[in-house]
Amino acid sequence: AQSVSQHNHHVILSEAASLELGCNYSYGGTVNLFWYVQYPGQHLQLLLKYFSGDPLVKGIKGFEAEFIKSKFSFNLRKPSVQWSDTAEYFCAAYYGNNRLAFGKGNQVVVIP
Amino acid sequence: ETGVTQTPRHLVMGMTNKKSLKCEQHLGHNAMYWYKQSAKKPLELMFVYSLEERVENNSVPSRFSPECPNSSHLFLHLHTLQPEDSALYLCASSQGLAGREQFFGPGTRLTVL
C-alpha cells in the first residue's frame, strides 16, 4: 500500500539549532511530494512541494527539502530554527490515484 | 472571508443525534475533500469531490454522508455516530485533484458522547 513514514514523532530543540525531519515514501512510480505545517491553533498550510526538476526545493520561512529518488526520501531541513517554528509538520505524497497519503507528523517544539 | 472556512469549529453530539458539518471555499477551486485527523494517526482521506461529483469514497461508514451542492460548498452529514468518531474533521480544496496543492480549513473538533 502507498504510505508515508515520518520518524522521531516528537522533536525538542533550542533556538538556532538545525532541524532535519525525515520522510520516506513507498515506491509507486512518479510521485508528487509535499510538506505541510500546522502551527498551534492554526490550519494546515503548505510549506513546500516537489513535482519535478531540481531535487532541492526551497519553501517558505527558510525551509528546504531534498528529494532523493534512490532513497525514496524527501527530508525537510532548516539550518537555524526559531521559537515560531514550533508546530506539527506533515509529509505527504501523491501517487496519481486521487489520494494524498500523509505521514503521522512530527511535533516540533523549539525552546527559546 | 478568504481561503477555506468550516463551521462549526466545535461540536459535541450524542450518539443518536444528527448534525452536519459545513465547508466553504472562496478560492475558485473545483475539487474538495473531507479528512479525519485523529491523535497519533495519519490524516485519513474520507471523501473526494471533483466538479461536484464524488470521485473517492475511502471505505467510510455510512453514518457519514457527504454532499456537494456546488463547487464552493461541501457538507458532511453525521448520524448515529460512535465515540471513536471523535476527531478533528478537516476540509480542503484544490484546483484539480490531489496532485495539486490542497488548501485546508481550520477543522471542526467533533466530540461524540
Side-chain angles (χ1 to χ4, degrees), chain A residues 32 34 36 38 41 43-44 46 49 51 90 94 97-100 102-104, chain B residues 35 37 40 42-43 45 48 56 58 97-102 104-106:
Chain A
N32 293 347
F34 305 82
Y36 283 85
Q38 191 170 28
H43 55 270
L44 272 167
L46 185 71
K49 60 188 177 186
F51 289 174
F90 295 89
Y94 175 69
N97 56 355
N98 297 334
R99 300 183 184 194
L100 199 57
F102 281 86
K104 292 185 179 181
Chain B
Y35 287 89
Q37 187 177 26
K40 299 182 181 179
L43 259 72
L45 179 67
V48 180
E56 188 73 39
N58 197 22
L97 285 172
R100 298 295 169 188
E101 173 185 354
Q102 293 184 25
F104 286 83

PDB file of all heavy atoms in Angstrom, chain A residues 32 34 36 38 41 43-44 46 49 51 90 94 97-100 102-104, chain B residues 35 37 40 42-43 45 48 56 58 97-102 104-106:
ATOM      1  N   ASN A  32       4.311  13.062  -6.481  1.00  0.00           N
ATOM      2  CA  ASN A  32       4.420  14.459  -6.058  1.00  0.00           C
ATOM      3  C   ASN A  32       4.558  14.476  -4.544  1.00  0.00           C
ATOM      4  O   ASN A  32       3.859  13.742  -3.838  1.00  0.00           O
ATOM      5  CB  ASN A  32       3.178  15.263  -6.461  1.00  0.00           C
ATOM      6  CG  ASN A  32       3.042  15.413  -7.969  1.00  0.00           C
ATOM      7  OD1 ASN A  32       3.964  15.138  -8.725  1.00  0.00           O
ATOM      8  ND2 ASN A  32       1.870  15.852  -8.410  1.00  0.00           N
ATOM      9  N   PHE A  34       5.019  16.672  -0.742  1.00  0.00           N
ATOM     10  CA  PHE A  34       4.652  17.903  -0.058  1.00  0.00           C
ATOM     11  C   PHE A  34       5.100  17.844   1.401  1.00  0.00           C
ATOM     12  O   PHE A  34       5.169  16.777   2.010  1.00  0.00           O
ATOM     13  CB  PHE A  34       3.121  18.081  -0.053  1.00  0.00           C
ATOM     14  CG  PHE A  34       2.467  18.033  -1.413  1.00  0.00           C
ATOM     15  CD1 PHE A  34       2.170  16.822  -2.006  1.00  0.00           C
ATOM     16  CD2 PHE A  34       2.125  19.206  -2.073  1.00  0.00           C
ATOM     17  CE1 PHE A  34       1.559  16.766  -3.256  1.00  0.00           C
ATOM     18  CE2 PHE A  34       1.509  19.165  -3.315  1.00  0.00           C
ATOM     19  CZ  PHE A  34       1.230  17.943  -3.906  1.00  0.00           C
ATOM     20  N   TYR A  36       3.592  19.874   4.751  1.00  0.00           N
ATOM     21  CA  TYR A  36       2.632  20.808   5.305  1.00  0.00           C
ATOM     22  C   TYR A  36       3.013  21.090   6.754  1.00  0.00           C
ATOM     23  O   TYR A  36       3.619  20.240   7.437  1.00  0.00           O
ATOM     24  CB  TYR A  36       1.219  20.215   5.279  1.00  0.00           C
ATOM     25  CG  TYR A  36       0.548  20.231   3.922  1.00  0.00           C
ATOM     26  CD1 TYR A  36       0.769  19.212   2.998  1.00  0.00           C
ATOM     27  CD2 TYR A  36      -0.300  21.271   3.557  1.00  0.00           C
ATOM     28  CE1 TYR A  36       0.151  19.225   1.755  1.00  0.00           C
ATOM     29  CE2 TYR A  36      -0.922  21.297   2.316  1.00  0.00           C
ATOM     30  CZ  TYR A  36      -0.693  20.274   1.423  1.00  0.00           C
ATOM     31  OH  TYR A  36      -1.309  20.300   0.187  1.00  0.00           O
ATOM     32  N   GLN A  38       1.436  22.739  10.541  1.00  0.00           N
ATOM     33  CA  GLN A  38       0.266  23.160  11.314  1.00  0.00           C
ATOM     34  C   GLN A  38       0.764  23.844  12.580  1.00  0.00           C
ATOM     35  O   GLN A  38       1.226  23.174  13.522  1.00  0.00           O
ATOM     36  CB  GLN A  38      -0.612  21.952  11.648  1.00  0.00           C
ATOM     37  CG  GLN A  38      -1.967  22.304  12.218  1.00  0.00           C
ATOM     38  CD  GLN A  38      -2.876  21.079  12.301  1.00  0.00           C
ATOM     39  OE1 GLN A  38      -2.441  19.946  12.436  1.00  0.00           O
ATOM     40  NE2 GLN A  38      -4.184  21.315  12.210  1.00  0.00           N
ATOM     41  N   GLY A  41      -3.046  26.050  16.923  1.00  0.00           N
ATOM     42  CA  GLY A  41      -4.289  26.780  16.744  1.00  0.00           C
ATOM     43  C   GLY A  41      -4.575  27.221  15.330  1.00  0.00           C
ATOM     44  O   GLY A  41      -5.562  27.932  15.087  1.00  0.00           O
ATOM     45  N   HIS A  43      -4.615  26.315  10.873  1.00  0.00           N
ATOM     46  CA  HIS A  43      -4.896  25.219   9.955  1.00  0.00           C
ATOM     47  C   HIS A  43      -3.630  24.773   9.228  1.00  0.00           C
ATOM     48  O   HIS A  43      -2.629  25.477   9.217  1.00  0.00           O
ATOM     49  CB  HIS A  43      -5.978  25.637   8.959  1.00  0.00           C
ATOM     50  CG  HIS A  43      -5.643  26.885   8.204  1.00  0.00           C
ATOM     51  ND1 HIS A  43      -5.982  28.142   8.650  1.00  0.00           N
ATOM     52  CD2 HIS A  43      -4.991  27.075   7.040  1.00  0.00           C
ATOM     53  CE1 HIS A  43      -5.561  29.034   7.794  1.00  0.00           C
ATOM     54  NE2 HIS A  43      -4.953  28.422   6.804  1.00  0.00           N
ATOM     55  N   LEU A  44      -3.701  23.596   8.647  1.00  0.00           N
ATOM     56  CA  LEU A  44      -2.608  23.078   7.840  1.00  0.00           C
ATOM     57  C   LEU A  44      -2.318  24.018   6.671  1.00  0.00           C
ATOM     58  O   LEU A  44      -3.228  24.476   5.994  1.00  0.00           O
ATOM     59  CB  LEU A  44      -3.004  21.725   7.255  1.00  0.00           C
ATOM     60  CG  LEU A  44      -2.728  20.477   8.074  1.00  0.00           C
ATOM     61  CD1 LEU A  44      -3.472  19.300   7.480  1.00  0.00           C
ATOM     62  CD2 LEU A  44      -1.234  20.203   8.112  1.00  0.00           C
ATOM     63  N   LEU A  46       0.684  24.759   3.332  1.00  0.00           N
ATOM     64  CA  LEU A  46       1.779  24.202   2.553  1.00  0.00           C
ATOM     65  C   LEU A  46       3.085  24.900   2.890  1.00  0.00           C
ATOM     66  O   LEU A  46       3.153  26.126   2.933  1.00  0.00           O
ATOM     67  CB  LEU A  46       1.482  24.351   1.063  1.00  0.00           C
ATOM     68  CG  LEU A  46       2.507  23.705   0.134  1.00  0.00           C
ATOM     69  CD1 LEU A  46       2.389  22.183   0.210  1.00  0.00           C
ATOM     70  CD2 LEU A  46       2.303  24.174  -1.301  1.00  0.00           C
ATOM     71  N   LYS A  49       6.757  22.033  -1.910  1.00  0.00           N
ATOM     72  CA  LYS A  49       6.299  20.909  -2.720  1.00  0.00           C
ATOM     73  C   LYS A  49       7.340  20.571  -3.774  1.00  0.00           C
ATOM     74  O   LYS A  49       8.143  21.420  -4.165  1.00  0.00           O
ATOM     75  CB  LYS A  49       4.969  21.247  -3.393  1.00  0.00           C
ATOM     76  CG  LYS A  49       5.052  22.457  -4.319  1.00  0.00           C
ATOM     77  CD  LYS A  49       3.682  22.883  -4.807  1.00  0.00           C
ATOM     78  CE  LYS A  49       3.795  24.151  -5.669  1.00  0.00           C
ATOM     79  NZ  LYS A  49       2.460  24.681  -6.042  1.00  0.00           N
ATOM     80  N   PHE A  51       7.440  18.536  -7.552  1.00  0.00           N
ATOM     81  CA  PHE A  51       6.766  17.803  -8.631  1.00  0.00           C
ATOM     82  C   PHE A  51       7.808  17.221  -9.579  1.00  0.00           C
ATOM     83  O   PHE A  51       7.714  16.070  -9.991  1.00  0.00           O
ATOM     84  CB  PHE A  51       5.820  18.729  -9.405  1.00  0.00           C
ATOM     85  CG  PHE A  51       4.576  19.133  -8.650  1.00  0.00           C
ATOM     86  CD1 PHE A  51       3.695  20.066  -9.180  1.00  0.00           C
ATOM     87  CD2 PHE A  51       4.274  18.612  -7.407  1.00  0.00           C
ATOM     88  CE1 PHE A  51       2.553  20.451  -8.488  1.00  0.00           C
ATOM     89  CE2 PHE A  51       3.138  18.978  -6.701  1.00  0.00           C
ATOM     90  CZ  PHE A  51       2.272  19.911  -7.257  1.00  0.00           C
ATOM     91  N   PHE A  90       3.924  17.749   8.553  1.00  0.00           N
ATOM     92  CA  PHE A  90       3.416  16.551   7.895  1.00  0.00           C
ATOM     93  C   PHE A  90       4.003  16.432   6.493  1.00  0.00           C
ATOM     94  O   PHE A  90       3.955  17.381   5.710  1.00  0.00           O
ATOM     95  CB  PHE A  90       1.888  16.612   7.763  1.00  0.00           C
ATOM     96  CG  PHE A  90       1.156  16.610   9.064  1.00  0.00           C
ATOM     97  CD1 PHE A  90       0.872  17.800   9.720  1.00  0.00           C
ATOM     98  CD2 PHE A  90       0.746  15.413   9.649  1.00  0.00           C
ATOM     99  CE1 PHE A  90       0.186  17.807  10.930  1.00  0.00           C
ATOM    100  CE2 PHE A  90       0.062  15.410  10.852  1.00  0.00           C
ATOM    101  CZ  PHE A  90      -0.211  16.608  11.495  1.00  0.00           C
ATOM    102  N   TYR A  94       1.625  12.135  -3.302  1.00  0.00           N
ATOM    103  CA  TYR A  94       0.515  11.882  -4.209  1.00  0.00           C
ATOM    104  C   TYR A  94       1.005  10.953  -5.308  1.00  0.00           C
ATOM    105  O   TYR A  94       1.974  11.232  -5.992  1.00  0.00           O
ATOM    106  CB  TYR A  94       0.005  13.185  -4.810  1.00  0.00           C
ATOM    107  CG  TYR A  94      -1.070  12.980  -5.851  1.00  0.00           C
ATOM    108  CD1 TYR A  94      -2.326  12.518  -5.476  1.00  0.00           C
ATOM    109  CD2 TYR A  94      -0.832  13.231  -7.204  1.00  0.00           C
ATOM    110  CE1 TYR A  94      -3.318  12.317  -6.423  1.00  0.00           C
ATOM    111  CE2 TYR A  94      -1.820  13.031  -8.155  1.00  0.00           C
ATOM    112  CZ  TYR A  94      -3.057  12.576  -7.758  1.00  0.00           C
ATOM    113  OH  TYR A  94      -4.035  12.362  -8.690  1.00  0.00           O
ATOM    114  N   ASN A  97      -3.679   8.745  -7.753  1.00  0.00           N
ATOM    115  CA  ASN A  97      -4.905   7.967  -7.569  1.00  0.00           C
ATOM    116  C   ASN A  97      -5.950   8.737  -6.778  1.00  0.00           C
ATOM    117  O   ASN A  97      -6.747   8.150  -6.060  1.00  0.00           O
ATOM    118  CB  ASN A  97      -4.584   6.658  -6.857  1.00  0.00           C
ATOM    119  CG  ASN A  97      -3.875   6.887  -5.523  1.00  0.00           C
ATOM    120  OD1 ASN A  97      -3.552   8.024  -5.179  1.00  0.00           O
ATOM    121  ND2 ASN A  97      -3.644   5.823  -4.791  1.00  0.00           N
ATOM    122  N   ASN A  98      -5.959  10.040  -6.933  1.00  0.00           N
ATOM    123  CA  ASN A  98      -6.894  10.928  -6.227  1.00  0.00           C
ATOM    124  C   ASN A  98      -6.639  11.016  -4.726  1.00  0.00           C
ATOM    125  O   ASN A  98      -7.430  11.615  -4.027  1.00  0.00           O
ATOM    126  CB  ASN A  98      -8.358  10.519  -6.445  1.00  0.00           C
ATOM    127  CG  ASN A  98      -8.771  10.633  -7.896  1.00  0.00           C
ATOM    128  OD1 ASN A  98      -8.203  11.418  -8.644  1.00  0.00           O
ATOM    129  ND2 ASN A  98      -9.737   9.851  -8.308  1.00  0.00           N
ATOM    130  N   ARG A  99      -5.582  10.380  -4.226  1.00  0.00           N
ATOM    131  CA  ARG A  99      -5.370  10.377  -2.787  1.00  0.00           C
ATOM    132  C   ARG A  99      -4.012  10.975  -2.449  1.00  0.00           C
ATOM    133  O   ARG A  99      -3.008  10.681  -3.090  1.00  0.00           O
ATOM    134  CB  ARG A  99      -5.398   8.962  -2.228  1.00  0.00           C
ATOM    135  CG  ARG A  99      -6.682   8.233  -2.446  1.00  0.00           C
ATOM    136  CD  ARG A  99      -6.627   6.870  -1.789  1.00  0.00           C
ATOM    137  NE  ARG A  99      -7.833   6.113  -2.085  1.00  0.00           N
ATOM    138  CZ  ARG A  99      -8.182   5.016  -1.444  1.00  0.00           C
ATOM    139  NH1 ARG A  99      -7.424   4.560  -0.476  1.00  0.00           N
ATOM    140  NH2 ARG A  99      -9.289   4.384  -1.778  1.00  0.00           N
ATOM    141  N   LEU A 100      -4.037  11.790  -1.399  1.00  0.00           N
ATOM    142  CA  LEU A 100      -2.791  12.313  -0.845  1.00  0.00           C
ATOM    143  C   LEU A 100      -2.518  11.487   0.409  1.00  0.00           C
ATOM    144  O   LEU A 100      -3.317  11.499   1.345  1.00  0.00           O
ATOM    145  CB  LEU A 100      -2.991  13.787  -0.515  1.00  0.00           C
ATOM    146  CG  LEU A 100      -1.775  14.683  -0.345  1.00  0.00           C
ATOM    147  CD1 LEU A 100      -0.913  14.660  -1.590  1.00  0.00           C
ATOM    148  CD2 LEU A 100      -2.217  16.099  -0.031  1.00  0.00           C
ATOM    149  N   PHE A 102      -0.636  10.872   3.792  1.00  0.00           N
ATOM    150  CA  PHE A 102       0.072  11.657   4.800  1.00  0.00           C
ATOM    151  C   PHE A 102       0.832  10.763   5.754  1.00  0.00           C
ATOM    152  O   PHE A 102       0.404   9.641   6.063  1.00  0.00           O
ATOM    153  CB  PHE A 102      -0.923  12.492   5.616  1.00  0.00           C
ATOM    154  CG  PHE A 102      -1.400  13.743   4.928  1.00  0.00           C
ATOM    155  CD1 PHE A 102      -2.478  13.707   4.059  1.00  0.00           C
ATOM    156  CD2 PHE A 102      -0.785  14.962   5.158  1.00  0.00           C
ATOM    157  CE1 PHE A 102      -2.932  14.856   3.420  1.00  0.00           C
ATOM    158  CE2 PHE A 102      -1.232  16.116   4.528  1.00  0.00           C
ATOM    159  CZ  PHE A 102      -2.295  16.059   3.664  1.00  0.00           C
ATOM    160  N   GLY A 103       1.946  11.283   6.250  1.00  0.00           N
ATOM    161  CA  GLY A 103       2.619  10.646   7.364  1.00  0.00           C
ATOM    162  C   GLY A 103       1.943  11.030   8.672  1.00  0.00           C
ATOM    163  O   GLY A 103       1.012  11.838   8.690  1.00  0.00           O
ATOM    164  N   LYS A 104       2.424  10.453   9.792  1.00  0.00           N
ATOM    165  CA  LYS A 104       1.808  10.704  11.092  1.00  0.00           C
ATOM    166  C   LYS A 104       2.162  12.058  11.667  1.00  0.00           C
ATOM    167  O   LYS A 104       1.547  12.493  12.640  1.00  0.00           O
ATOM    168  CB  LYS A 104       2.194   9.609  12.082  1.00  0.00           C
ATOM    169  CG  LYS A 104       1.598   8.251  11.762  1.00  0.00           C
ATOM    170  CD  LYS A 104       1.937   7.250  12.852  1.00  0.00           C
ATOM    171  CE  LYS A 104       1.308   5.896  12.545  1.00  0.00           C
ATOM    172  NZ  LYS A 104       1.613   4.901  13.603  1.00  0.00           N
TER     173      LYS A 104
ATOM    174  N   TYR B  35     -11.267  15.108   5.358  1.00  0.00           N
ATOM    175  CA  TYR B  35     -10.278  14.298   6.039  1.00  0.00           C
ATOM    176  C   TYR B  35     -10.682  14.151   7.501  1.00  0.00           C
ATOM    177  O   TYR B  35     -11.294  15.036   8.078  1.00  0.00           O
ATOM    178  CB  TYR B  35      -8.899  14.961   6.025  1.00  0.00           C
ATOM    179  CG  TYR B  35      -8.170  14.958   4.714  1.00  0.00           C
ATOM    180  CD1 TYR B  35      -8.352  16.006   3.805  1.00  0.00           C
ATOM    181  CD2 TYR B  35      -7.275  13.948   4.381  1.00  0.00           C
ATOM    182  CE1 TYR B  35      -7.662  16.022   2.601  1.00  0.00           C
ATOM    183  CE2 TYR B  35      -6.583  13.959   3.180  1.00  0.00           C
ATOM    184  CZ  TYR B  35      -6.785  15.007   2.294  1.00  0.00           C
ATOM    185  OH  TYR B  35      -6.092  15.031   1.105  1.00  0.00           O
ATOM    186  N   GLN B  37      -8.743  13.690  11.187  1.00  0.00           N
ATOM    187  CA  GLN B  37      -7.458  13.761  11.860  1.00  0.00           C
ATOM    188  C   GLN B  37      -7.628  13.301  13.302  1.00  0.00           C
ATOM    189  O   GLN B  37      -8.252  13.982  14.114  1.00  0.00           O
ATOM    190  CB  GLN B  37      -6.878  15.182  11.817  1.00  0.00           C
ATOM    191  CG  GLN B  37      -5.457  15.271  12.367  1.00  0.00           C
ATOM    192  CD  GLN B  37      -4.867  16.668  12.240  1.00  0.00           C
ATOM    193  OE1 GLN B  37      -5.602  17.662  12.203  1.00  0.00           O
ATOM    194  NE2 GLN B  37      -3.554  16.770  12.167  1.00  0.00           N
ATOM    195  N   LYS B  40      -2.238  10.730  16.873  1.00  0.00           N
ATOM    196  CA  LYS B  40      -1.244   9.689  16.626  1.00  0.00           C
ATOM    197  C   LYS B  40      -1.530   8.840  15.394  1.00  0.00           C
ATOM    198  O   LYS B  40      -1.031   7.718  15.276  1.00  0.00           O
ATOM    199  CB  LYS B  40      -1.077   8.786  17.850  1.00  0.00           C
ATOM    200  CG  LYS B  40      -0.597   9.534  19.085  1.00  0.00           C
ATOM    201  CD  LYS B  40      -0.405   8.611  20.272  1.00  0.00           C
ATOM    202  CE  LYS B  40       0.056   9.416  21.484  1.00  0.00           C
ATOM    203  NZ  LYS B  40       0.247   8.568  22.690  1.00  0.00           N
ATOM    204  N   PRO B  42      -2.118   9.070  10.913  1.00  0.00           N
ATOM    205  CA  PRO B  42      -2.031   9.955   9.745  1.00  0.00           C
ATOM    206  C   PRO B  42      -3.410  10.505   9.383  1.00  0.00           C
ATOM    207  O   PRO B  42      -4.425   9.891   9.708  1.00  0.00           O
ATOM    208  CB  PRO B  42      -1.514   9.038   8.634  1.00  0.00           C
ATOM    209  CG  PRO B  42      -0.988   7.837   9.324  1.00  0.00           C
ATOM    210  CD  PRO B  42      -1.749   7.699  10.580  1.00  0.00           C
ATOM    211  N   LEU B  43      -3.404  11.636   8.707  1.00  0.00           N
ATOM    212  CA  LEU B  43      -4.664  12.147   8.181  1.00  0.00           C
ATOM    213  C   LEU B  43      -5.305  11.074   7.297  1.00  0.00           C
ATOM    214  O   LEU B  43      -4.647  10.476   6.448  1.00  0.00           O
ATOM    215  CB  LEU B  43      -4.428  13.383   7.319  1.00  0.00           C
ATOM    216  CG  LEU B  43      -4.711  14.730   7.946  1.00  0.00           C
ATOM    217  CD1 LEU B  43      -3.648  15.055   8.980  1.00  0.00           C
ATOM    218  CD2 LEU B  43      -4.751  15.823   6.887  1.00  0.00           C
ATOM    219  N   LEU B  45      -8.024  10.263   4.473  1.00  0.00           N
ATOM    220  CA  LEU B  45      -8.933  10.796   3.463  1.00  0.00           C
ATOM    221  C   LEU B  45     -10.273  10.078   3.571  1.00  0.00           C
ATOM    222  O   LEU B  45     -10.326   8.854   3.650  1.00  0.00           O
ATOM    223  CB  LEU B  45      -8.347  10.594   2.070  1.00  0.00           C
ATOM    224  CG  LEU B  45      -9.205  11.071   0.913  1.00  0.00           C
ATOM    225  CD1 LEU B  45      -9.338  12.583   0.921  1.00  0.00           C
ATOM    226  CD2 LEU B  45      -8.615  10.587  -0.412  1.00  0.00           C
ATOM    227  N   VAL B  48     -13.654  12.557  -1.692  1.00  0.00           N
ATOM    228  CA  VAL B  48     -13.137  13.499  -2.672  1.00  0.00           C
ATOM    229  C   VAL B  48     -14.238  13.841  -3.657  1.00  0.00           C
ATOM    230  O   VAL B  48     -14.917  12.943  -4.169  1.00  0.00           O
ATOM    231  CB  VAL B  48     -11.942  12.908  -3.457  1.00  0.00           C
ATOM    232  CG1 VAL B  48     -11.414  13.932  -4.475  1.00  0.00           C
ATOM    233  CG2 VAL B  48     -10.823  12.477  -2.528  1.00  0.00           C
ATOM    234  N   GLU B  56     -14.163   9.683  -4.932  1.00  0.00           N
ATOM    235  CA  GLU B  56     -13.470   8.804  -3.993  1.00  0.00           C
ATOM    236  C   GLU B  56     -14.314   8.674  -2.735  1.00  0.00           C
ATOM    237  O   GLU B  56     -14.797   9.661  -2.198  1.00  0.00           O
ATOM    238  CB  GLU B  56     -12.109   9.394  -3.643  1.00  0.00           C
ATOM    239  CG  GLU B  56     -11.212   8.484  -2.827  1.00  0.00           C
ATOM    240  CD  GLU B  56     -10.640   7.344  -3.647  1.00  0.00           C
ATOM    241  OE1 GLU B  56     -10.291   7.573  -4.808  1.00  0.00           O
ATOM    242  OE2 GLU B  56     -10.538   6.234  -3.114  1.00  0.00           O
ATOM    243  N   ASN B  58     -13.484   6.584   0.583  1.00  0.00           N
ATOM    244  CA  ASN B  58     -12.421   5.738   1.115  1.00  0.00           C
ATOM    245  C   ASN B  58     -12.920   4.805   2.207  1.00  0.00           C
ATOM    246  O   ASN B  58     -12.459   4.866   3.333  1.00  0.00           O
ATOM    247  CB  ASN B  58     -11.293   6.649   1.633  1.00  0.00           C
ATOM    248  CG  ASN B  58     -10.005   5.907   1.819  1.00  0.00           C
ATOM    249  OD1 ASN B  58      -9.781   4.871   1.230  1.00  0.00           O
ATOM    250  ND2 ASN B  58      -9.140   6.449   2.666  1.00  0.00           N
ATOM    251  N   LEU B  97      -7.199  17.732  -9.017  1.00  0.00           N
ATOM    252  CA  LEU B  97      -7.271  16.740  -7.941  1.00  0.00           C
ATOM    253  C   LEU B  97      -5.991  16.696  -7.111  1.00  0.00           C
ATOM    254  O   LEU B  97      -5.123  17.550  -7.242  1.00  0.00           O
ATOM    255  CB  LEU B  97      -7.625  15.380  -8.528  1.00  0.00           C
ATOM    256  CG  LEU B  97      -9.103  15.277  -8.914  1.00  0.00           C
ATOM    257  CD1 LEU B  97      -9.397  14.001  -9.680  1.00  0.00           C
ATOM    258  CD2 LEU B  97      -9.981  15.380  -7.670  1.00  0.00           C
ATOM    259  N   ALA B  98      -5.864  15.686  -6.264  1.00  0.00           N
ATOM    260  CA  ALA B  98      -4.959  15.698  -5.117  1.00  0.00           C
ATOM    261  C   ALA B  98      -3.499  15.916  -5.453  1.00  0.00           C
ATOM    262  O   ALA B  98      -2.711  16.230  -4.581  1.00  0.00           O
ATOM    263  CB  ALA B  98      -5.110  14.416  -4.315  1.00  0.00           C
ATOM    264  N   GLY B  99      -3.118  15.770  -6.702  1.00  0.00           N
ATOM    265  CA  GLY B  99      -1.729  16.009  -7.037  1.00  0.00           C
ATOM    266  C   GLY B  99      -1.325  17.448  -6.903  1.00  0.00           C
ATOM    267  O   GLY B  99      -0.140  17.768  -6.841  1.00  0.00           O
ATOM    268  N   ARG B 100      -2.301  18.296  -6.851  1.00  0.00           N
ATOM    269  CA  ARG B 100      -2.048  19.729  -6.689  1.00  0.00           C
ATOM    270  C   ARG B 100      -2.057  20.104  -5.227  1.00  0.00           C
ATOM    271  O   ARG B 100      -2.523  19.361  -4.372  1.00  0.00           O
ATOM    272  CB  ARG B 100      -3.126  20.526  -7.431  1.00  0.00           C
ATOM    273  CG  ARG B 100      -3.135  20.273  -8.918  1.00  0.00           C
ATOM    274  CD  ARG B 100      -1.862  20.765  -9.542  1.00  0.00           C
ATOM    275  NE  ARG B 100      -1.706  20.321 -10.908  1.00  0.00           N
ATOM    276  CZ  ARG B 100      -0.598  20.510 -11.610  1.00  0.00           C
ATOM    277  NH1 ARG B 100       0.424  21.124 -11.063  1.00  0.00           N
ATOM    278  NH2 ARG B 100      -0.518  20.092 -12.847  1.00  0.00           N
ATOM    279  N   GLU B 101      -1.589  21.291  -4.925  1.00  0.00           N
ATOM    280  CA  GLU B 101      -1.583  21.780  -3.553  1.00  0.00           C
ATOM    281  C   GLU B 101      -3.004  21.856  -3.031  1.00  0.00           C
ATOM    282  O   GLU B 101      -3.893  22.367  -3.703  1.00  0.00           O
ATOM    283  CB  GLU B 101      -0.944  23.161  -3.498  1.00  0.00           C
ATOM    284  CG  GLU B 101      -1.027  23.834  -2.140  1.00  0.00           C
ATOM    285  CD  GLU B 101      -0.495  25.237  -2.166  1.00  0.00           C
ATOM    286  OE1 GLU B 101       0.042  25.657  -3.207  1.00  0.00           O
ATOM    287  OE2 GLU B 101      -0.619  25.927  -1.137  1.00  0.00           O
ATOM    288  N   GLN B 102      -3.206  21.369  -1.827  1.00  0.00           N
ATOM    289  CA  GLN B 102      -4.508  21.471  -1.183  1.00  0.00           C
ATOM    290  C   GLN B 102      -4.474  22.561  -0.136  1.00  0.00           C
ATOM    291  O   GLN B 102      -3.481  22.735   0.570  1.00  0.00           O
ATOM    292  CB  GLN B 102      -4.879  20.138  -0.537  1.00  0.00           C
ATOM    293  CG  GLN B 102      -5.129  19.049  -1.562  1.00  0.00           C
ATOM    294  CD  GLN B 102      -5.599  17.755  -0.953  1.00  0.00           C
ATOM    295  OE1 GLN B 102      -6.169  17.724   0.130  1.00  0.00           O
ATOM    296  NE2 GLN B 102      -5.374  16.668  -1.653  1.00  0.00           N
ATOM    297  N   PHE B 104      -6.323  23.899   3.233  1.00  0.00           N
ATOM    298  CA  PHE B 104      -7.117  23.319   4.307  1.00  0.00           C
ATOM    299  C   PHE B 104      -7.874  24.382   5.096  1.00  0.00           C
ATOM    300  O   PHE B 104      -7.404  25.502   5.266  1.00  0.00           O
ATOM    301  CB  PHE B 104      -6.211  22.536   5.263  1.00  0.00           C
ATOM    302  CG  PHE B 104      -5.742  21.235   4.706  1.00  0.00           C
ATOM    303  CD1 PHE B 104      -4.649  21.181   3.858  1.00  0.00           C
ATOM    304  CD2 PHE B 104      -6.399  20.053   5.022  1.00  0.00           C
ATOM    305  CE1 PHE B 104      -4.212  19.977   3.333  1.00  0.00           C
ATOM    306  CE2 PHE B 104      -5.977  18.844   4.499  1.00  0.00           C
ATOM    307  CZ  PHE B 104      -4.876  18.806   3.653  1.00  0.00           C
ATOM    308  N   GLY B 105      -9.024  23.966   5.609  1.00  0.00           N
ATOM    309  CA  GLY B 105      -9.753  24.781   6.557  1.00  0.00           C
ATOM    310  C   GLY B 105      -9.252  24.530   7.967  1.00  0.00           C
ATOM    311  O   GLY B 105      -8.386  23.674   8.186  1.00  0.00           O
ATOM    312  N   PRO B 106      -9.790  25.256   8.947  1.00  0.00           N
ATOM    313  CA  PRO B 106      -9.323  25.115  10.334  1.00  0.00           C
ATOM    314  C   PRO B 106      -9.827  23.859  11.025  1.00  0.00           C
ATOM    315  O   PRO B 106      -9.311  23.490  12.071  1.00  0.00           O
ATOM    316  CB  PRO B 106      -9.886  26.363  11.017  1.00  0.00           C
ATOM    317  CG  PRO B 106     -11.094  26.693  10.218  1.00  0.00           C
ATOM    318  CD  PRO B 106     -10.786  26.314   8.806  1.00  0.00           C
TER     319      PRO B 106
END
